[in-house]
Amino acid sequence: MDISALHVLAPLFWRAPSAHNTQPWRLDYRDEEVHVGWDHADTLPAADPTGRDLRLSLGAFVETCLIVAADLGLPIEYVPDHCVEDRRVGWLRLSPHGYRSPFTAAQVQGRRTHRGRFSAGPDADTVAALDAVARQAGGEVRVVPDRDRLAGLLTTADRHLYAEPAVVRELRGWLRLTPAHPRYPADGLTDRCLELSPVEATGLRAALAAYPVLRPLGLPRLLAAAAGDPLALGGTVIVLVGPAGLDDAAQVEFGRVLMRTWLTLHAAGLAAHPLSQLIDAPATRAALGSALDGRRSGCCTSPGWAGRSARRPARRAGSAAPAMPARDQHGAAADPAGPIEVDRFRTVELPTAPSLLSDALHRTVISSRPPAGIAHPTEGGSTPGGCSTVEGEWGSMCR
Ligand SMILES: Cc1cc2nc3c(=O)[nH]c(=O)nc-3n(C[C@H](O)[C@H](O)[C@H](O)COP(=O)(O)O)c2cc1C
């Protein structure tokens, strides 16, 4: 068994969520272990000056790697070893026991942010299940009680965001509002994943291009208004509250908790839309804290059923995702012998270490984004699930 076998799973590891979809993680393969680090070029110094979202994203990535490898039969463990100088959070290495998780690679592949309409929120059992996940790490999950107040906070937070030229410049750098953008299939926020119509995408591009001129004339207010009220799209706002005083390494660990809660939502048929701006703006962060009885660590989400499936966002390693064995309702492989179509574009043989993977992976279908103009087979369907998340110093928030 060789740690380099992880290479073949990278496209699934890359399904992890990251703020602005920067995919900041890097895997550095050594003889016996893989260094999990990050690239400064993919951080958000303006929007995320404390590095909170970076660390949460890296934690979500670590958890994703562990879940995928465990589900596909590669026993690995994670050893935290946070070192800012070396831009490293820890190591992945082979372990006789591997990782135990109730989640599957298929769930990792299927989870995505949903920024559209939600038809209902989570039931009490789902909130209790989320709370149980958070409590294992010393946190908790809370439903935000005052929806009207929250809507006002969101508007304030959006205005704060759009008033900062450096934040807007950075956001603009990660927006891919037309398929002609050279990085459209690779990373960042596309018009599709933001659920923008062609007219809205063109309008946003024009407004952001004119930002330096129009900012003194009130453009931040207009942009905040144009962002609309995501709470009006349904769902319930919940907050994942983390333990107080998390240091950097603990924030990475909390990113793992965030990923587990997000997958718990996904497993319940719900999706999420992070609303980090609520905890990025000092005023709204404080107001939210008081709405949560003064708690200072957390993350907020409003799970619900989405009216239609969310758009699959771009990934650098997303053009070649190994397919997972189909699963029956109890999580058992439903058809371990045949090739499983995730998307139906290319079939390949896995190049390395087939003995590490299940038989179902010997022949596999590679997922890739269709060329422009060809509808994505998983988009526009009626798959239920919807919630939104916001990451914060307290943790993250979701609506
Ligand atoms: C720490 C963190 C913070 C995020 N903050 C926001 C946010 O404020 N607003 C938003 O729309 N999405 C936010 N997201 C969602 C990302 O934009 C999303 O994960 C990324 O674009 C990849 O898309 P996917 O989740 O559909 O795979 C956040 C994600 C993470 C991990």
Side-chain angles (χ1 to χ4, degrees):
M1 196 175 291
D2 182 347
I3 192 73
S4 66
L6 283 184
H7 268 302
V8 79
L9 302 182
L12 285 170
F13 298 162
W14 256 249
R15 298 307 311 159
S18 56
H20 286 19
N21 196 20
T22 66
Q23 302 159 47
W25 40 76
R26 296 291 180 274
L27 291 181
D28 179 10
Y29 287 79
R30 309 288 169 91
D31 286 348
E32 310 253 311
E33 50 211 359
V34 183
H35 160 164
V36 184
W38 70 93
D39 187 334
H40 184 71
D42 294 333
T43 64
L44 301 167
D48 181 30
T50 64
R52 175 206 68 212
D53 282 358
L54 170 68
R55 290 184 284 276
L56 291 171
S57 301
L58 289 166
F61 178 75
V62 166
E63 187 69 13
T64 300
C65 292
L66 291 169
I67 291 169
V68 168
D71 190 36
L72 299 182
L74 186 63
I76 59 167
E77 66 179 358
Y78 171 64
V79 182
D81 181 22
H82 202 99
C83 177
V84 175
E85 291 74 33
D86 293 348
R87 297 202 177 126
R88 181 182 67 236
V89 295
W91 305 87
L92 296 172
R93 65 183 183 200
L94 294 172
S95 132
H97 309 299
Y99 186 61
R100 295 172 75 89
S101 168
F103 303 113
T104 65
Q107 287 167 334
V108 163
Q109 168 91 344
R111 181 217 58 82
R112 62 197 66 171
T113 300
H114 177 80
R115 299 181 178 86
R117 184 166 293 282
F118 299 133
S119 58
D123 58 22
D125 287 349
T126 306
V127 175
L130 293 167
D131 191 49
V133 171
R135 282 184 188 279
Q136 283 167 2
E140 64 180 309
V141 166
R142 302 275 302 274
V143 175
V144 179
D146 189 341
R147 212 186 157 87
D148 291 343
R149 186 168 171 214
L150 198 62
L153 292 182
L154 263 175
T155 307
T156 307
D158 279 337
R159 281 185 195 159
H160 174 87
L161 185 152
Y162 286 116
E164 282 295 328
V167 173
V168 172
R169 204 166 33 245
E170 194 173 74
L171 172 64
R172 199 175 163 213
W174 287 100
L175 285 176
R176 283 86 177 96
L177 296 177
T178 159
H181 192 290
R183 298 201 60 79
Y184 195 86
D187 53 27
L189 300 166
T190 63
D191 53 341
R192 288 155 64 97
C193 82
L194 293 174
E195 305 255 338
L196 296 175
S197 69
V199 172
E200 289 167 333
T202 306
L204 182 57
R205 279 175 72 198
L208 292 178
Y211 180 87
V213 178
L214 296 183
R215 178 172 171 265
L217 303 177
L219 184 61
R221 242 167 213 280
L222 272 181
L223 285 170
D229 173 13
L231 302 185
L233 296 174
T236 304
V237 180
I238 64 170
V239 182
L240 170 60
V241 180
L246 297 179
D247 64 12
D248 288 0
Q251 278 187 353
V252 175
E253 283 300 307
F254 202 64
R256 297 181 57 190
V257 178
L258 170 66
M259 191 66 204
R260 293 199 286 271
T261 54
W262 206 334
L263 286 172
T264 301
L265 286 169
H266 178 73
L270 304 165
H273 174 194
L275 299 170
S276 303
Q277 66 270 45
L278 275 171
I279 38 185
D280 288 340
T284 55
R285 189 169 59 219
L288 187 67
S290 64
L292 294 173
D293 307 329
R295 280 171 171 71
R296 292 204 40 84
S297 291
C299 138
C300 171
T301 187
S302 122
W305 295 88
R308 59 186 175 137
S309 61
R311 300 298 198 248
R312 182 190 295 277
R315 286 296 193 276
R316 275 171 223 155
S319 58
M324 283 77 59
R327 294 192 172 262
D328 67 19
Q329 59 185 345
H330 307 295
D335 178 15
I340 309 299
E341 276 201 25
V342 174
D343 297 324
R344 26 186 165 96
F345 296 104
R346 233 156 31 101
T347 304
V348 300
E349 298 287 326
L350 283 180
T352 57
S355 61
L356 298 174
L357 306 172
S358 72
D359 285 345
L361 281 172
H362 289 184
R363 291 177 298 143
T364 187
V365 176
I366 294 300
S367 160
S368 76
R369 219 172 157 72
I374 299 179
H376 193 293
T378 63
E379 289 173 355
S382 58
T383 312
C387 122
S388 33
T389 35
V390 175
E391 308 311 316
E393 181 182 297
W394 311 321
S396 18
M397 299 201 61
C398 233
R399 180 200 65 76

